[in-house]
Amino acid sequence: MDRLSVMEVFVRVVDEGGFSAAARRLNLSKAAISKQVAALEERLGVRLLNRTTRQVTLTDAGAVFHARAQRILAEAEEAEAEIGTLAAAPRGILRINVPMTFGVRHIGPLLPEFMDRYPDLIPELSLSDRFVDVLEEGVDVVVRIATLTDSSLIAKRLCCNSRVLVASPEYLARRGTLHRPEDLINHDCLLYTYLKREGIWELTGPEGRQISVRVAEPKMRANNGEIIIAAARAGHGIAYSPMFMAGDDIRAGRLVQVLPDWRDERASVFAVHAHTRFVPAKVRVFIDFLAEKFSGKPAWEP
């Protein structure tokens, strides 16, 4: 027999507490088991087991070999399982959760190409700006735009995400230009309520200076970024918006970046999935696809 098979026989004898039990577990004869262990000891030149009529115990050399053999067998099993996972064609339902606007604008348009590549996969996309628990809600992949700290999940960074201050040219013509973040207290602010710290706009400016502005009395509150951006376009105030949402309006002149030297760049776009021993093929190919599509500078950045 090959070395791995002999190792498995020896480990089974130890773990089962004897030759007879190991023989039953491996569906071999007791004589065959005994012969293989004896041949192993002869090849190694040491006694691995102390044998009595009632039990077998490990010698010092046997204890060392048993520990190493267990690790080798575990690694071999893991390698086989991993290769099997890689070889398996991705199929079945792929449950994806994405923030509402990011999903509509930047994930949804990519899905037809993904479906063409993997016709046996069925994407099931849910759009929500609330926090989704990957484990409790049975989601395969979550796209999160955040500063991640949860080590119980696996996260792959896809790209950067800047949050900037924007307003319409008409609003600024009517209310005046801002010169510093402190000027925000004299302006109408449009508040997105799903910020990690609701009502706090955190900005980094020249020379790394950081400031937190509390929006105490916003002109409007909403838990959807599209609503906030629409109000800003209509001239109702200043929005603190991710660039993936405001970029097109800035390029088209519908919005102007307010205090352009101040922004928040701490958050990034991540693909997140549960920490498992082997990543399912359907999860792996989707995350690789997203990484391919979002590599380099994001299209929404100026």
Side-chain angles (χ1 to χ4, degrees):
M1 298 181 71
D2 61 68
R3 288 188 176 185
L4 281 180
S5 298
V6 174
M7 279 187 185
E8 184 179 5
V9 167
F10 170 72
V11 168
R12 186 65 67 184
V13 169
V14 175
D15 293 348
E16 296 293 331
F19 290 88
S20 298
R24 288 192 297 272
R25 191 66 179 267
L26 295 172
N27 198 27
L28 295 171
S29 68
K30 180 180 177 181
I33 295 289
S34 180
K35 183 178 179 180
Q36 289 179 42
V37 173
L40 175 62
E41 290 177 320
E42 184 177 352
R43 190 177 80 243
L44 296 176
V46 294
R47 179 175 289 278
L48 300 174
L49 297 173
N50 293 314
R51 301 162 174 81
T52 69
T53 55
R54 293 188 176 181
Q55 64 179 355
V56 294
T57 58
L58 287 166
T59 64
D60 290 343
V64 172
F65 187 78
H66 178 258
R68 294 293 293 270
Q70 279 186 313
R71 288 198 294 272
I72 290 169
L73 290 170
E75 289 178 4
E77 181 181 351
E78 184 173 337
E80 289 181 358
E82 186 170 357
I83 294 301
T85 299
L86 292 173
R91 64 179 66 250
I93 296 174
L94 176 66
R95 295 175 177 84
I96 310 160
N97 177 265
V98 188
M100 181 71 69
T101 300
F102 191 81
V104 171
R105 293 192 180 192
H106 303 291
I107 297 295
L110 298 176
L111 288 183
E113 180 181 346
F114 179 75
M115 294 166 68
D116 287 340
R117 289 194 194 183
Y118 303 101
D120 293 329
L121 269 178
I122 303 171
E124 186 175 284
L125 184 66
S126 62
L127 303 174
S128 174
D129 289 340
R130 69 177 179 84
F131 178 85
V132 171
D133 190 305
V134 175
L135 300 176
E136 288 191 5
E137 301 187 39
V139 179
D140 295 308
V141 182
V142 170
V143 174
R144 283 190 182 152
I145 304 171
T147 303
L148 296 185
T149 58
D150 189 353
S151 60
S152 67
L153 302 174
I154 301 298
K156 181 177 181 62
R157 185 179 182 275
L158 300 176
C159 61
C160 66
N161 172 62
S162 302
R163 189 176 284 274
V164 296
L165 299 168
V166 293
S168 70
E170 294 77 16
Y171 174 86
L172 295 174
R174 186 174 72 252
R175 297 293 301 275
T177 303
L178 288 76
H179 300 287
R180 57 197 184 115
E182 291 82 356
D183 294 340
L184 286 164
I185 63 173
N186 298 317
H187 281 263
D188 296 330
C189 295
L190 309 170
L191 186 62
Y192 174 66
T193 57
Y194 273 167
L195 290 175
K196 186 174 183 180
R197 298 175 64 194
E198 184 178 341
I200 303 294
W201 291 358
E202 300 182 88
L203 301 165
T204 300
E207 300 180 355
R209 181 189 167 202
Q210 295 182 330
I211 188 170
S212 297
V213 178
R214 178 177 292 279
V215 182
E217 297 181 4
K219 185 172 182 181
M220 175 187 181
R221 296 174 184 266
N223 66 357
N224 180 270
E226 289 282 16
I227 302 299
I228 297 294
I229 282 289
R233 280 196 302 263
H236 288 289
I238 298 172
Y240 178 57
S241 173
M243 186 61 80
F244 75 77
M245 193 178 298
D248 289 345
D249 286 316
I250 292 173
R251 281 188 290 271
R254 294 183 293 267
L255 291 174
V256 175
Q257 209 172 325
V258 177
L259 299 172
D261 292 334
W262 292 84
R263 60 172 58 200
D264 181 7
E265 294 185 327
R266 294 169 305 153
S268 296
V269 182
F270 293 91
V272 179
H273 63 92
H275 192 298
T276 58
R277 191 176 182 187
F278 305 112
V279 179
K282 62 181 181 180
V283 171
R284 175 175 47 80
V285 298
F286 183 65
I287 292 177
D288 288 347
F289 176 79
L290 293 182
E292 171 195 328
K293 294 302 177 183
F294 290 106
S295 63
K297 185 178 180 180
W300 55 79
E301 289 288 340

